[in-house]
Amino acid sequence: MKNSFLDHELKVFSGRAHPALAQAICNYLEIPLGEADIFEFSNENLFVRYLENIRERDVFLVQPFVSPVNTRIMELLIMIDAAKRASAGRITAVVPYYAYGRSDKKDQPRVPITARLIANFLEVAGADRLLTVDLHAGQIQGFFNVPVDELTALAILARYFRESFGPERLPEVTVVATDVGDAKRARRVADRLGVPLAIVEKRRIGNLERVEAVNIIGEVKGRIALIVDDEVDTAGTLVATAEIVLRHGAREVYACCTHPVLSGPAVQRLERAPIRELVVTDTIPVPPEKRLPNITVLSVAPLLGEAIRRIHTGQSVGALFDED
C-alpha cells in the first residue's frame, strides 16, 4: 500500500496520551510517525513544537482523552493551534475516546453540557474535522460545525466472538444490553452474530457511580450471555448486569466494550466478577497492572488507519462498514 503521495502529503502526529496507537496507525499506512516535541514545564504549562515541515500538509493528530483527561484535552488544543500557526493545510483531530460524552444533555437543573463545550474548544482551536470511535451518544456529532466521522468497533468485537464461539456455541448466545439506552448498540452486535437480544433495566443512584439492575427483558436462562457496552468505567454497570443475568439463569457471562476506561475500583470489581472474558479495544491504553488474565485487547489501528487514508484521498468512510 506504499504510496509516495501519501508519504509526502499526509502527516500523523501523536500526543502523549497513546503513542503506541498512533505508531500502529502509521504502520498500517506505511508512513513514519511525525516528530513533535511535547512537554510540560515545571509550572504545568504545556509546550508543543513540530519538528518537521507541515505547511499545506494534511495533518492528523491522534489523542484520546484519557487520564489525566483535562491535561490531554488541553494538550490536543495546543497541538491544533500549533499546527494551524504552522500553516497546516487541514487539521483532523483523531480522538478515539471522547471523554465527557455522558454530559451530552441538561438532565438536571444548573448543569453544563460539557460534550458540547469540548466540541467548541476543538473548533475554536482550529480543528477542521473530527475522527472518533463509538461516541457515548450519537447526538454529540451535532455539537460540531465541522465534519465528524464516527467509526464503530462493533464489527471488530462481533468478529472476535463469532470466531471465538464458533458455529457450535454461537446459537447458544444471547447479547445483553446494559440498559434501554444501549439497546441499539447491542442490537447491532446481535444482528451481526445472528442471535437474540436481552435488555437489562437499571437505575443510576443520583450522581454516584453506582447503578442498580432491577429487571431483564428477554430470555437468558441456560444461555451464554454476551454483555455489550460502549465503555467500562468503574465497572459498576457491567458487574451489576453480569449478576442479574446469572440470577436469571445464564450459564456463562462474557462482555465486551470499545473503551476500557477502567477507573477507580474497576480492576478490583472485575477480579471478583463472574465474567469469563472481557474483550476491549485499544482506543484507550490498558497498562500492565490493569490487564487481568481474562481481558483481551483488540486493536482499532487498522480501522483508524483506513479511515485516515480514505479521508485523505477523498473516499467514502461510511463504505468501510458497507464492506464488512
Side-chain angles (χ1 to χ4, degrees):
M1 199 186 76
K2 187 70 174 177
N3 186 311
S4 59
F5 175 71
L6 281 176
D7 189 38
H8 177 70
E9 299 290 345
L10 172 61
K11 294 292 183 180
V12 176
F13 294 89
S14 176
R16 296 179 299 170
H18 202 346
L21 177 59
Q23 184 61 65
I25 290 170
C26 288
N27 292 345
Y28 176 86
L29 293 169
E30 298 182 344
I31 62 172
L33 181 63
E35 295 184 20
D37 190 14
I38 305 173
F39 64 86
E40 190 171 313
F41 291 107
S42 57
N43 63 0
E44 299 183 12
N45 289 188
L46 297 166
F47 176 84
V48 173
R49 179 176 177 236
Y50 294 99
L51 302 180
E52 53 190 276
N53 178 30
I54 58 173
R55 183 178 294 272
E56 298 304 323
R57 300 295 196 269
D58 199 4
V59 174
F60 292 79
L61 307 177
V62 181
Q63 180 86 328
F65 295 156
V66 300
S67 182
V69 173
N70 299 325
T71 299
R72 296 306 178 224
I73 292 172
M74 191 65 192
E75 187 176 293
L76 177 59
L77 296 176
I78 295 173
M79 291 177 70
I80 294 169
D81 185 71
K84 184 178 179 181
R85 296 177 188 281
S87 301
R90 180 174 63 176
I91 303 167
T92 301
V94 182
V95 185
Y97 174 63
Y98 190 94
Y100 289 105
R102 294 179 184 175
S103 300
D104 62 321
K105 57 186 175 295
K106 197 174 177 187
D107 54 0
Q108 301 174 52
R110 299 175 296 281
V111 297
I113 303 178
T114 318
R116 171 61 187 267
L117 179 63
I118 300 300
N120 292 342
F121 285 166
L122 292 169
E123 288 185 26
V124 171
D128 295 300
R129 63 188 308 129
L130 174 75
L131 175 61
T132 188
V133 182
D134 284 329
L135 292 167
H136 183 70
Q139 69 199 46
I140 294 172
Q141 294 185 42
F143 294 167
F144 287 83
N145 294 311
V146 297
V148 175
D149 290 299
E150 181 190 1
L151 309 179
T152 179
L154 295 182
I156 297 171
L157 296 169
R159 188 181 308 119
Y160 174 87
F161 281 107
R162 187 185 304 118
E163 296 171 357
S164 177
F165 289 135
E168 300 82 13
R169 302 181 70 207
L170 192 58
E172 303 171 7
V173 173
T174 293
V175 168
V176 178
T178 58
D179 62 20
V180 175
D182 272 330
K184 184 176 181 181
R185 193 188 318 272
R187 167 60 70 188
R188 292 167 67 185
V189 175
D191 288 345
R192 287 179 180 275
L193 296 177
V195 300
L197 174 71
I199 303 170
V200 169
E201 281 189 281
K202 72 176 184 184
R203 62 186 175 203
R204 186 170 297 277
I205 303 172
N207 286 324
L208 302 175
E209 293 181 331
R210 292 195 296 121
V211 296
E212 180 182 8
V214 295
N215 195 18
I216 187 166
I217 304 165
E219 185 57 61
V220 295
K221 186 175 182 180
R223 297 183 63 78
I224 301 169
L226 171 57
I227 302 170
V228 175
D229 208 347
D230 64 318
E231 67 179 67
V232 175
D233 187 1
T234 61
T237 295
L238 178 60
V239 172
T241 303
E243 290 172 348
I244 195 172
V245 296
L246 285 172
R247 287 201 302 271
H248 281 72
R251 72 172 196 266
E252 292 179 345
V253 179
Y254 292 78
C256 65
C257 75
T258 300
H259 310 298
V261 181
L262 304 180
S263 62
V267 172
Q268 290 74 25
R269 286 174 172 171
L270 290 171
E271 283 178 325
R272 300 190 299 266
I275 297 171
R276 285 183 171 267
E277 184 179 18
L278 170 60
V279 181
V280 303
T281 78
D282 61 350
T283 57
I284 295 174
V286 182
E289 63 272 18
K290 293 185 179 182
R291 291 206 179 205
L292 299 175
N294 65 335
I295 292 181
T296 300
V297 182
L298 307 178
S299 182
V300 293
L303 176 65
L304 286 166
E306 182 60 22
I308 288 171
R309 187 185 70 81
R310 289 174 181 241
I311 290 169
H312 177 62
T313 56
Q315 298 180 64
S316 170
V317 174
L320 269 173
F321 306 105
D322 297 335
E323 296 167 4
D324 184 74

